[in-house]
Amino acid sequence: MLDKNGIAKRIAQELQDGYFVNLGIGIPTLVANYIPEGIAVEFQSENGVLGMGPFPIDGEEDADIINAGKQTITTLPGASFFDSATSFAMIRGKHVDLTILGAMEVAENGDIANWKIPGKMVKGMGGAMDLVASADQIIVAMMHTNRAGASKLLKECTLPLTGVSCVKKIVTNLAVLEITPKGFLLLERAPGVSVEEIKNATEGNIYYDKEVPEMDLL
């Protein structure tokens, strides 16, 4: 079973040289710490940063340099800062190759709910709606079940939707799954996790080939 850093490390394997990548709030921000050797990636944050690096070392934070989640970040040589209008022009103009988001629920058809729980106060949907509507590649980073142990990979989302049929791949603490017309295709399982455990933790339709390899996180 993976922790949050393990999820981020596995998602980092999906990065390709030259990609422009938007990192959502939460687990996705950790992906910047695990860029594979030999590739160059530009990380974008919707608050107006292009060229984010890994999180700063304790004691070296700059409170003026933050991501969309208000976490302090580092920047790489050549990084740039701009206003939100420019940032969302990049997103809506499809200049981002890959978007990595957290989620509260994902449905077997690729619907995503990641912005509101009814009855709880929120300021609004933020940039998630623009990101899921504009990105061709969306990977979700999430825990497979909620705190009560209920599945977050569902037949249909129960929470207000952020986007419809937009998620392509999901990496959880238990597995790597791909959205297909038949539901969740199980591609890989986390170290020490069995296929049966993943099936039991997944409400939506899940299927797999005869052999499901264990993730290689090296």
Side-chain angles (χ1 to χ4, degrees):
M1 186 179 299
L2 303 179
D3 60 10
K4 293 180 179 180
N5 282 285
I7 294 172
K9 190 173 184 180
R10 174 57 188 85
I11 290 177
Q13 295 179 12
E14 302 292 320
L15 302 176
Q16 295 185 26
D17 190 44
Y19 262 15
F20 288 86
V21 181
N22 179 279
L23 299 179
I25 296 170
I27 298 173
T29 60
L30 299 171
V31 174
N33 294 334
Y34 299 104
I35 303 174
E37 291 185 11
I39 71 170
V41 176
E42 293 284 350
F43 289 115
Q44 189 247 18
S45 183
E46 65 196 63
N47 60 315
V49 184
L50 182 65
M52 292 189 296
F55 281 118
I57 298 171
D58 288 345
E60 296 186 6
E61 302 92 342
D62 184 335
D64 291 325
I65 304 178
I66 60 173
N67 61 20
K70 298 181 176 60
Q71 297 168 301
T72 53
I73 58 172
T74 63
T75 54
L76 301 176
S80 58
F81 301 89
F82 34 85
D83 59 20
S84 292
T86 302
S87 183
F88 279 94
M90 293 173 63
I91 293 167
R92 294 167 185 159
K94 295 185 177 294
H95 301 293
V96 175
D97 299 296
L98 171 64
T99 295
I100 304 171
L101 297 172
M104 292 180 278
E105 294 178 348
V106 175
E108 62 185 38
N109 70 338
D111 292 353
I112 181 174
N114 77 342
W115 74 281
K116 183 179 182 180
I117 298 176
K120 292 193 175 183
M121 291 290 292
V122 293
K123 295 180 179 179
M125 187 178 287
M129 179 175 65
D130 298 88
L131 288 164
V132 299
S134 303
D136 291 326
Q137 295 188 70
I138 298 175
I139 297 177
V140 168
M142 65 190 291
M143 293 298 172
H144 211 99
T145 58
N146 62 25
R147 293 179 181 178
S151 179
K152 296 168 66 173
L153 279 68
L154 310 175
K155 292 183 180 298
E156 295 182 2
C157 291
T158 62
L159 297 174
L161 293 183
T162 310
V164 176
S165 299
C166 54
V167 175
K168 297 297 188 292
K169 188 173 286 187
I170 308 156
V171 180
T172 75
N173 55 319
L174 302 183
V176 178
L177 306 105
E178 184 177 323
I179 298 291
T180 77
K182 293 170 58 178
F184 298 110
L185 171 60
L186 177 57
L187 300 177
E188 300 174 21
R189 53 189 175 82
V193 176
S194 69
V195 170
E196 198 65 27
E197 287 176 300
I198 298 167
K199 286 175 59 180
N200 291 338
T202 307
E203 183 205 276
N205 184 52
I206 184 171
Y207 69 104
Y208 48 90
D209 296 326
K210 291 182 179 179
E211 296 293 333
V212 179
E214 190 172 279
M215 295 180 202
D216 182 1
L217 297 174
L218 297 179

